[in-house]
Structure formats: C-alpha cells, structure tokens
Amino acid sequence: MHSFAYRGSELACEGVSIATLAKEYGTPLYVYSDATLTDHFTKLDRAFAPVEHQICFAMKSNSNLAVIRTLANLGSGFDTVSAGEIQRVEAAGGDPRTCVFAGVGKTEEEIAYALRKGIYSFNVESEAELSRISRVATRLKKIAPVAVRVNPNINAHTHAKITTGTYENKFGIAFEEIERVYARASRLPNLRLRGLQMHIGSQLTDVKPFRLAVQKVAPLVQKLNARYGFDFFSIGGGIGIVYQDALASGSPAWWRKPAGRKILTPDTYARTLLPLLKPLGLKVLLEPGRFLSGNAGILVTRVEFIKRTGKKHFVIVDAAMNDLIRPAFYDSYHEIVPVSKKSGRPIPSDVVGPICESGDYFAKDRPLPKVVEGDYLALLSAGAYGSVMGSNYNSRGLPTEVLVRGRKAAVVRRRQKVAAIWAQEAVAPWQ
Ligand SMILES: *Cc1c(COP(=O)(O)O)cnc(C)c1O
C-alpha cells in the first residue's frame, strides 16, 4: 500500500494536494508519506511476529531526520554505514544502541565513536577490521559486539551495481572462511561474538535467492551459535519494490500495465524464511531500506520547456540528476505521472533535466500525455536512494523536502540556499 493517488484529477499524498505543495514550496520537491512508511514498517514487523526480531532501517536509503524519527517512533532500529549516520540517528532523537554499523572501510575514529555510543553490533567485513575493532575496544576499555558478514556466494540476479552476495564484490567474508575467522576473532581481546550477518543485494523481487542464502547459512549459524553463544542472525535487507505501475489507484487511461511484474510481499518473504529461521532460536535482524522508504516518497518537478527535434520529443524539467541520480546511475525506471491528470494520446517523451550531461535524464521514449510549460510532473518511488544521493553538481541547491501526515504537511528540509554550496570554499591568500 502507498498513499500517492489521484483524488479526482489531482495527485495527492494522503490528504494533501501535490500541486498545492509544489506551488507553496517550489520545485524540485521531495514529498514523503508518513502513512506509507508506517504501513510498510508495520506489515514487515507483523510478518515476523512469530520470532523475536528487530527491524533496523537501512538509513542510507533515506536519512532525513523526520523519516528516521517516524521509524524510530514505530520501534525501528537503524542499519548505519558511517559515524555520520549514527550522529544523524541521535539528531533525530533515536538511540544509537538500536544501531548496527556496517561498511567495508570503518575508520578508527568511527569505531571509537560507535563504541562510546554503545551500538548494538558492528557488522564486520574483513579480518583486518576485526583486528582494528579489537584494538580500539582494548584502548577504550570496552567490549565490542561484532557480527561477521558472511558472503554466501548467492547471485541475487539484480542490477550489477546492487548485487553484493557473490565472490566478485567487496562485501563480507567468503562462506568457506567464516569458521576460521570466528575462531581467530574469539582469541582477539575485547570482542563479543554477538551474531552473524548477511546481505545479498538490493531490489530483489524474487524470494528464491533469499531462501537459498538462508538455507545455506542457517546450519553455519547453528554451529557458531553452539560454540560462541550468539544473540542474533541478521538476514540483511534487499526486499524489492514495484517501480513500474507504482500508483496506488486511479491509474489514468493511457497507462500501460507492464506485463508479468513481480511483487515480493512481506508475507511471502516471512512465510518462506521463518521455517528456516525459527529453529535457530535467535533474534532475527532485518535491514530493509528501499522496502520501507522507496514508495514512501516522490520527486515533484515542473516542466520548463518542450523541445522537439527531428527524432525526439524532449520534456525539459527543473529536477535533474543531482536531485535523483538513479536513472543515470542504475538505469532505473521511475514512473512519471502528471500532477494534474491529462487526457489525449500519449507521446513518446524523453524527460530530461537541465544539467550539461547526456546522462541527465529520467526517462527515454516514455509514453506521456501532452504536457506544457509550467505543468508539474511527479517521479514516483523516489523515497529510497533519491535525496540521499543528491549533490550540488552544477551549483544546484538541494531541494526542499516535505513530510505529509493525513492532511498536514511539514517542511523537513529547507531548500539549500546557493551561497551555502560554497560556504566552505575560499580563494587562496595570494589571489
Ligand atoms: C544497502 C544495505 C541494506 C539495505 O538494502 P535495501 O535494498 O535498501 O533494502 C541492508 N544491509 C546492508 C548491509 C546494506 O549495505
């Protein structure tokens, strides 16, 4: 379920008109739905009710303070990948003790920060990192809770840039090495072997790779748990979402329903994995990012120009790859809909931003109804890996972000003033 739908001919987020928000706050504009975040969290949480579990939202997908607060209030913990993200959790009023800390390149400073804040566990990605954590913990006279990330060598069959669970990428420690690494870790001072972690990739719409990975890893967890006394087994994130035909209801007539699209529901995910997880008797950690935030956000943009060339119909909009890089970076598909419904025959359109890069596009040859200068368009499913990947390329300020709850809307990030972009810069003294 998500809460972006036409009410009559106007796109709304919950009880708030998107056009009204766009007029009030300007564009480009990110709009997030509290109800959608809540619904997705609750569905996943309920699906795993038969086992002790903790959802740790992968906040790299969307780290806006208001999004973090919404999820923290629901009981979510956080999967963090830097000391900066742990500080963000604190800034949002969350508790670092609900955080796990992942990533292949943790610095000594970051490890020390996480230890002082009492994070729940380090997800360790290499033997060198284990030694470093042990060393920092010894220096600080702390016991560091650790879980090694196992690479189960299961291909998630998703986009190459988001596959993480095979031996061709930098993440985790090979399945065959794990027992030896734990044996070594058990001899290092000031470590507590708290669990095992895995994460095989992102945007998985088929449950099979998850099942294969848990099937492969569960016996290892059992063995290590008997030896070291674990608290948890983390099965990572990666639950995919629907990008095509992503509108909740009232799809316009020109809509082409993509054939054979797949949805991985929390129920299917839980029903498949619970029989494998339950016998372990351990707390299950889940690290969903996109599943919680992806369809909870849209990017609203205004049409600046229509440009026709011999071959193409370009719709030039005021949002760009610096606001949402996914199409350029991952060849991602985002549904694009007019904020006010349009009639008429769809025209194959290239929706492009103003940046001086041919990669600056949102869609190519996409059938869209005829739009004109000043119309608003919404790029759907932009709540995950959208705003967080924003940059100031072309000296463009980061956009405003709004959180909607029912009939209320609040600015949760003000548009960045352009002077703030170079505030940390200076001319050299000899100039
Ligand atoms: C990115 C990441 C996640 C979240 O991935 P999603 O596809 O957004 O669910 C979870 N765990 C780890 C270790 C990650 O790197």
Side-chain angles (χ1 to χ4, degrees):
M1 194 266 335
H2 70 81
S3 307
F4 297 91
Y6 285 110
R7 308 177 116 213
S9 62
E10 289 298 315
L11 188 65
C13 174
E14 303 186 28
V16 176
S17 144
I18 297 296
T20 306
L21 292 177
K23 276 177 209 137
E24 183 155 355
Y25 301 113
T27 51
L29 175 73
Y30 274 102
V31 181
Y32 303 128
S33 158
D34 184 306
T36 308
L37 287 167
T38 303
D39 178 70
H40 291 176
F41 181 89
T42 309
K43 283 203 174 113
L44 189 61
D45 202 34
R46 287 207 185 122
F48 277 80
V51 290
E52 189 191 354
H53 67 280
Q54 173 67 52
I55 296 175
C56 290
F57 172 56
M59 60 182 279
K60 72 175 192 281
S61 72
N62 188 324
S63 58
N64 183 288
L65 296 188
V67 170
I68 292 172
R69 175 73 75 100
T70 301
L71 290 166
N73 288 346
L74 292 165
S76 186
F78 299 93
D79 174 22
T80 66
V81 293
S82 68
E85 283 197 346
I86 298 170
Q87 288 172 67
R88 261 186 185 274
V89 170
E90 295 171 73
D95 184 350
R97 287 172 303 180
T98 68
C99 292
V100 293
F101 186 8
V104 298
K106 301 176 191 79
T107 66
E108 296 214 354
E109 293 76 14
E110 288 183 308
I111 291 165
Y113 188 84
L115 275 172
R116 284 199 199 94
K117 293 294 174 175
I119 60 147
Y120 183 75
S121 182
F122 290 91
N123 291 342
V124 178
E125 308 246 12
S126 64
E127 290 188 63
E129 182 188 333
L130 272 175
S131 307
R132 180 178 284 185
I133 293 173
S134 167
R135 216 165 45 237
V136 176
T138 305
R139 172 161 56 79
L140 296 179
K141 301 189 172 59
K142 301 242 179 224
I143 303 295
V146 296
V148 173
R149 175 171 178 176
V150 55
N151 183 335
N153 198 25
I154 299 282
N155 194 336
H157 296 292
T158 169
H159 189 278
K161 282 189 186 156
I162 51 178
T163 293
T164 59
T166 72
Y167 289 166
E168 271 146 58
N169 59 64
K170 67 182 178 184
F171 298 103
I173 292 178
F175 183 83
E176 295 75 14
E177 301 281 313
I178 291 291
E179 283 190 63
R180 184 187 59 72
V181 171
Y182 271 85
R184 184 169 162 243
S186 72
R187 293 190 293 271
L188 290 172
N190 295 56
L191 295 184
R192 170 175 169 206
L193 309 183
R194 193 162 202 185
L196 187 79
Q197 196 265 350
M198 67 172 203
H199 171 74
I200 57 172
S202 200
Q203 184 52 18
L204 276 79
T205 50
D206 184 359
V207 79
K208 197 172 158 204
F210 285 121
R211 179 167 50 74
L212 293 176
V214 174
Q215 258 166 355
K216 182 167 179 184
V217 173
L220 179 64
V221 174
Q222 205 160 21
K223 204 162 166 187
L224 294 170
N225 180 31
R227 221 171 274 165
Y228 305 111
F230 281 173
D231 290 331
F232 73 88
F233 174 33
S234 171
I235 58 172
I239 308 170
I241 62 163
V242 173
Y243 279 97
Q244 286 195 295
D245 193 22
L247 210 61
S249 61
S251 298
W254 47 268
W255 210 276
R256 275 183 319 161
K257 269 229 178 344
R261 76 162 193 211
K262 279 204 218 159
I263 308 178
L264 178 52
T265 64
D267 282 337
T268 304
Y269 181 70
R271 209 173 338 105
T272 308
L273 301 184
L274 280 175
L276 304 166
L277 295 170
K278 236 180 169 170
L280 298 173
L282 290 170
K283 179 161 157 178
V284 174
L285 254 61
L286 303 148
E287 302 169 356
R290 189 191 315 266
F291 173 74
L292 298 181
S293 59
N295 277 324
I298 64 170
L299 175 60
V300 186
T301 185
R302 191 181 62 213
V303 176
E304 292 297 328
F305 295 107
I306 303 296
K307 178 172 171 178
R308 286 187 196 83
T309 64
K311 287 211 167 89
K312 289 280 193 182
H313 180 85
F314 288 105
V315 176
I316 302 173
V317 297
D318 68 352
M321 64 190 288
N322 75 299
D323 303 305
L324 179 68
I325 202 172
R326 298 189 67 256
F329 197 29
Y330 307 112
D331 313 308
S332 303
Y333 182 101
H334 284 272
E335 209 61 81
I336 302 179
V337 300
V339 166
S340 302
K341 257 189 201 172
K342 300 269 176 183
S343 51
R345 269 171 50 121
I347 306 167
S349 308
D350 279 24
V351 181
V352 303
I355 284 184
C356 304
E357 294 274 352
S358 32
D360 185 26
Y361 68 89
F362 293 122
K364 288 188 169 167
D365 294 321
R366 180 77 62 84
L368 277 186
K370 187 165 182 254
V371 290
V372 297
E373 270 182 50
D375 282 346
Y376 293 120
L377 294 175
L379 287 103
L380 306 185
S381 319
Y385 308 105
S387 150
V388 281
M389 289 192 177
S391 80
N392 290 129
Y393 191 39
N394 281 211
S395 288
R396 291 167 51 88
L398 298 173
T400 304
E401 297 182 29
V402 167
L403 179 70
V404 169
R405 181 176 182 176
R407 306 177 77 80
K408 287 187 291 208
V411 173
V412 294
R413 186 170 74 188
R414 288 196 304 275
R415 191 172 304 283
Q416 187 183 27
K417 296 215 162 62
V418 285
I421 297 172
W422 55 82
Q424 262 67 252
E425 297 174 33
V427 293
W430 60 83
Q431 287 179 306

mmCIF file of all heavy atoms in Angstrom, residues 201-216:
data_model
loop_
_atom_site.group_PDB
_atom_site.id
_atom_site.type_symbol
_atom_site.label_atom_id
_atom_site.label_comp_id
_atom_site.label_asym_id
_atom_site.label_seq_id
_atom_site.Cartn_x
_atom_site.Cartn_y
_atom_site.Cartn_z
ATOM 1 N N GLY A 201 22.056 -8.430 -1.604
ATOM 2 C CA GLY A 201 21.849 -7.481 -2.698
ATOM 3 C C GLY A 201 20.592 -6.678 -2.480
ATOM 4 O O GLY A 201 19.948 -6.797 -1.444
ATOM 5 N N SER A 202 20.279 -5.860 -3.462
ATOM 6 C CA SER A 202 19.183 -4.918 -3.317
ATOM 7 C C SER A 202 18.172 -5.113 -4.430
ATOM 8 O O SER A 202 18.498 -5.637 -5.494
ATOM 9 C CB SER A 202 19.764 -3.503 -3.371
ATOM 10 O OG SER A 202 18.878 -2.589 -2.803
ATOM 11 N N GLN A 203 16.953 -4.669 -4.176
ATOM 12 C CA GLN A 203 15.877 -4.721 -5.171
ATOM 13 C C GLN A 203 15.653 -6.146 -5.689
ATOM 14 O O GLN A 203 15.568 -6.406 -6.881
ATOM 15 C CB GLN A 203 16.174 -3.719 -6.314
ATOM 16 C CG GLN A 203 15.096 -3.580 -7.392
ATOM 17 C CD GLN A 203 13.705 -3.291 -6.856
ATOM 18 O OE1 GLN A 203 13.537 -2.872 -5.723
ATOM 19 N NE2 GLN A 203 12.677 -3.508 -7.635
ATOM 20 N N LEU A 204 15.540 -7.100 -4.756
ATOM 21 C CA LEU A 204 15.201 -8.474 -5.124
ATOM 22 C C LEU A 204 13.677 -8.606 -5.156
ATOM 23 O O LEU A 204 13.002 -8.308 -4.169
ATOM 24 C CB LEU A 204 15.754 -9.475 -4.108
ATOM 25 C CG LEU A 204 17.206 -9.905 -4.305
ATOM 26 C CD1 LEU A 204 18.151 -8.839 -3.792
ATOM 27 C CD2 LEU A 204 17.452 -11.213 -3.582
ATOM 28 N N THR A 205 13.147 -9.039 -6.298
ATOM 29 C CA THR A 205 11.691 -9.189 -6.392
ATOM 30 C C THR A 205 11.298 -10.661 -6.366
ATOM 31 O O THR A 205 10.136 -11.001 -6.473
ATOM 32 C CB THR A 205 11.163 -8.533 -7.682
ATOM 33 O OG1 THR A 205 11.951 -9.002 -8.770
ATOM 34 C CG2 THR A 205 11.276 -7.020 -7.602
ATOM 35 N N ASP A 206 12.285 -11.531 -6.241
ATOM 36 C CA ASP A 206 12.048 -12.964 -6.186
ATOM 37 C C ASP A 206 12.563 -13.447 -4.826
ATOM 38 O O ASP A 206 13.651 -13.061 -4.391
ATOM 39 C CB ASP A 206 12.831 -13.626 -7.326
ATOM 40 C CG ASP A 206 12.582 -15.113 -7.428
ATOM 41 O OD1 ASP A 206 11.801 -15.660 -6.601
ATOM 42 O OD2 ASP A 206 13.182 -15.742 -8.320
ATOM 43 N N VAL A 207 11.805 -14.300 -4.174
ATOM 44 C CA VAL A 207 12.195 -14.728 -2.828
ATOM 45 C C VAL A 207 13.279 -15.812 -2.864
ATOM 46 O O VAL A 207 13.944 -16.079 -1.871
ATOM 47 C CB VAL A 207 10.942 -15.200 -2.034
ATOM 48 C CG1 VAL A 207 10.523 -16.611 -2.442
ATOM 49 C CG2 VAL A 207 11.190 -15.115 -0.532
ATOM 50 N N LYS A 208 13.464 -16.407 -4.043
ATOM 51 C CA LYS A 208 14.340 -17.583 -4.129
ATOM 52 C C LYS A 208 15.785 -17.340 -3.672
ATOM 53 O O LYS A 208 16.314 -18.132 -2.888
ATOM 54 C CB LYS A 208 14.309 -18.142 -5.559
ATOM 55 C CG LYS A 208 14.842 -19.550 -5.652
ATOM 56 C CD LYS A 208 14.618 -20.136 -7.032
ATOM 57 C CE LYS A 208 15.593 -21.275 -7.253
ATOM 58 N NZ LYS A 208 15.837 -21.519 -8.680
ATOM 59 N N PRO A 209 16.443 -16.276 -4.142
ATOM 60 C CA PRO A 209 17.818 -16.057 -3.662
ATOM 61 C C PRO A 209 17.903 -15.891 -2.143
ATOM 62 O O PRO A 209 18.855 -16.373 -1.517
ATOM 63 C CB PRO A 209 18.254 -14.765 -4.362
ATOM 64 C CG PRO A 209 17.342 -14.635 -5.540
ATOM 65 C CD PRO A 209 16.051 -15.265 -5.143
ATOM 66 N N PHE A 210 16.877 -15.263 -1.546
ATOM 67 C CA PHE A 210 16.840 -15.134 -0.084
ATOM 68 C C PHE A 210 16.772 -16.532 0.553
ATOM 69 O O PHE A 210 17.476 -16.828 1.510
ATOM 70 C CB PHE A 210 15.606 -14.342 0.366
ATOM 71 C CG PHE A 210 15.686 -12.865 0.123
ATOM 72 C CD1 PHE A 210 14.734 -12.227 -0.667
ATOM 73 C CD2 PHE A 210 16.685 -12.092 0.698
ATOM 74 C CE1 PHE A 210 14.781 -10.857 -0.879
ATOM 75 C CE2 PHE A 210 16.742 -10.720 0.495
ATOM 76 C CZ PHE A 210 15.786 -10.107 -0.302
ATOM 77 N N ARG A 211 15.870 -17.367 -0.014
ATOM 78 C CA ARG A 211 15.694 -18.715 0.551
ATOM 79 C C ARG A 211 16.996 -19.513 0.433
ATOM 80 O O ARG A 211 17.453 -20.121 1.397
ATOM 81 C CB ARG A 211 14.558 -19.442 -0.172
ATOM 82 C CG ARG A 211 14.331 -20.860 0.349
ATOM 83 C CD ARG A 211 13.028 -21.477 -0.138
ATOM 84 N NE ARG A 211 12.811 -21.400 -1.567
ATOM 85 C CZ ARG A 211 13.450 -22.148 -2.473
ATOM 86 N NH1 ARG A 211 14.349 -23.040 -2.106
ATOM 87 N NH2 ARG A 211 13.191 -22.003 -3.766
ATOM 88 N N LEU A 212 17.610 -19.460 -0.747
ATOM 89 C CA LEU A 212 18.860 -20.206 -0.959
ATOM 90 C C LEU A 212 19.943 -19.737 0.001
ATOM 91 O O LEU A 212 20.677 -20.558 0.571
ATOM 92 C CB LEU A 212 19.334 -20.036 -2.405
ATOM 93 C CG LEU A 212 18.436 -20.666 -3.477
ATOM 94 C CD1 LEU A 212 18.961 -20.341 -4.864
ATOM 95 C CD2 LEU A 212 18.342 -22.182 -3.277
ATOM 96 N N ALA A 213 20.027 -18.428 0.185
ATOM 97 C CA ALA A 213 21.080 -17.879 1.053
ATOM 98 C C ALA A 213 20.844 -18.283 2.504
ATOM 99 O O ALA A 213 21.779 -18.721 3.192
ATOM 100 C CB ALA A 213 21.138 -16.361 0.911
ATOM 101 N N VAL A 214 19.603 -18.171 2.986
ATOM 102 C CA VAL A 214 19.337 -18.536 4.388
ATOM 103 C C VAL A 214 19.510 -20.043 4.577
ATOM 104 O O VAL A 214 20.072 -20.490 5.581
ATOM 105 C CB VAL A 214 17.930 -18.058 4.836
ATOM 106 C CG1 VAL A 214 17.600 -18.570 6.230
ATOM 107 C CG2 VAL A 214 17.856 -16.533 4.813
ATOM 108 N N GLN A 215 19.060 -20.820 3.587
ATOM 109 C CA GLN A 215 19.258 -22.273 3.664
ATOM 110 C C GLN A 215 20.732 -22.631 3.794
ATOM 111 O O GLN A 215 21.106 -23.506 4.568
ATOM 112 C CB GLN A 215 18.728 -22.938 2.384
ATOM 113 C CG GLN A 215 17.379 -23.596 2.573
ATOM 114 C CD GLN A 215 16.721 -23.950 1.247
ATOM 115 O OE1 GLN A 215 17.235 -23.625 0.177
ATOM 116 N NE2 GLN A 215 15.591 -24.616 1.327
ATOM 117 N N LYS A 216 21.545 -21.923 3.043
ATOM 118 C CA LYS A 216 22.981 -22.212 3.053
ATOM 119 C C LYS A 216 23.624 -21.769 4.371
ATOM 120 O O LYS A 216 24.487 -22.461 4.907
ATOM 121 C CB LYS A 216 23.637 -21.493 1.869
ATOM 122 C CG LYS A 216 25.125 -21.757 1.748
ATOM 123 C CD LYS A 216 25.660 -21.299 0.402
ATOM 124 C CE LYS A 216 27.154 -21.539 0.314
ATOM 125 N NZ LYS A 216 27.720 -21.021 -0.954
#
